[in-house]
């Protein structure tokens, strides 16, 4: 990958006078310009929830498994339905962003991050930090991110698969005791340009 993390790092520490969303768009644009068209770049772009293929509020059970209070899990899941994903993928790194559509999170939850092969990324959650890494997969149409924690033994796997112009997001949460697993699947379609 050309340029390493230097340009990304400088974008992340740019003056705070620029809105965070503008910085994230710069990072995504940078990643898209580096993406290889013969590999994970098929996953790159903006994706919106395909409401005909995904049940509304599908993230509720996943959010509960991750420790969200029951009273907030349903409304928060429905809010996430209105968002879209921005993915910038290359052979060695993936940037994921979930720009908010007119709302903000009432809790500390990091939904935007860049994951690089061979490098651990710390992701903030309301219950503590997770250690995340980009996994190798058998297909160039698949991105898989494994997050360990915040509790010992707790594991979240995010899998993004490009299928015939659509993107399938599969989220797995394994409880710290290894006895309870929650799996959520959502389908996205490419966001059409205005």
């Amino acid at each position: 990958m050309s340029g390493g993390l230097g340009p990304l790092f400088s974008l992340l520490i740019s003056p705070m006078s620029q809105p965070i969303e503008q910085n994230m768009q710069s990072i995504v644009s940078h990643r898209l310009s580096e993406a290889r068209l013969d590999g994970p770049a098929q996953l790159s772009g903006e994706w919106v929830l395909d409401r005909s293929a995904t049940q509304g509020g599908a993230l509720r059970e996943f959010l509960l498994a991750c420790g969200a209070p029951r009273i907030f899990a349903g409304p928060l899941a429905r809010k996430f339905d209105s968002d879209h994903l921005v993915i910038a993928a290359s052979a060695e790194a993936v940037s994921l962003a979930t720009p908010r559509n007119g709302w903000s999170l009432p809790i500390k939850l990091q939904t935007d991050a860049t994951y690089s092969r061979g490098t651990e990324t710390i992701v903030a959650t309301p219950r503590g930090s997770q250690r995340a890494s980009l996994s190798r997969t058998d297909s160039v149409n698949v991105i898989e991110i494994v997050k360990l924690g915040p509790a010992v033994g707790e594991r979240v796997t995010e899998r993004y698969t490009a299928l015939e112009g659509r993107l399938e997001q599969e989220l797995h949460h394994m409880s710290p005791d290894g006895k309870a697993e929650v799996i959520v699947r959502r389908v996205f379609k490419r966001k059409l340009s205005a």
Side-chain angles (χ1 to χ4, degrees), residues 31-57:
R31 284 288 185 208
L32 284 172
S33 70
E34 289 187 340
R36 292 183 354 199
L37 294 177
D38 63 338
Q42 298 172 57
L43 295 132
S44 293
E46 290 190 58
W47 300 88
V48 294
L49 190 68
D50 183 346
R51 294 182 186 276
S52 67
T54 303
Q55 178 183 352

Side-chain angles (χ1 to χ4, degrees), residues 70-92:
R70 190 167 295 281
I71 193 167
F72 296 119
L76 190 55
R78 286 188 296 280
K79 283 291 189 186
F80 274 120
D81 284 351
S82 69
D83 291 332
H84 62 279
L85 293 174
V86 178
I87 299 176
S90 70
E92 295 300 318

Side-chain angles (χ1 to χ4, degrees), residues 57-75:
L59 285 178
R60 182 180 182 275
E61 295 304 314
F62 180 79
L63 293 169
L64 287 171
C66 291
R70 190 167 295 281
I71 193 167
F72 296 119

Side-chain angles (χ1 to χ4, degrees), residues 100-132:
R100 303 282 164 259
N101 288 330
W103 69 284
S104 62
L105 287 169
I107 54 175
K108 182 180 177 183
L109 177 65
Q110 182 179 346
T111 58
D112 303 344
T114 297
Y115 307 93
S116 300
R117 293 210 193 284
T119 304
E120 196 170 80
T121 302
I122 302 301
V123 179
T125 76
R127 294 180 29 240
S129 296
Q130 293 176 310
R131 295 182 341 268

